[in-house]
Amino acid sequence: MVTDRGIEELEKRCGEEEVTFEWFCACRSEFADLNPGFEVAATGDRAGAPG
C-alpha cells in the first residue's frame, strides 16, 4: 500500500529528477504485465480507507 509517508520518502529520493507521464504509464503497464494477480482500482475514491 502506498502511504503519504512513502510518497514523501520517494520525493526526497528523487531530488530534482523529473519523470514524464509516458514513463509512468509504461511502468504501470510493465507492473501489470508482471503481476497479473495484483488488482487495485485507482478510482480516487477512498472507500474503505481508515479515518
Side-chain angles (χ1 to χ4, degrees):
M1 172 173 22
V2 176
T3 63
D4 288 342
R5 183 175 176 189
I7 291 170
E8 290 169 1
E9 180 64 27
L10 287 173
E11 287 176 340
K12 288 179 191 172
R13 290 182 189 184
C14 264
E16 298 297 319
E17 186 175 336
E18 294 184 16
V19 299
T20 64
F21 187 69
E22 290 81 11
W23 175 85
F24 177 75
C25 289
C27 288
R28 294 268 300 160
S29 293
E30 182 178 355
F31 179 85
D33 291 344
L34 295 173
N35 301 279
F38 188 86
E39 294 185 31
V40 175
T43 63
D45 181 17
R46 295 196 53 134

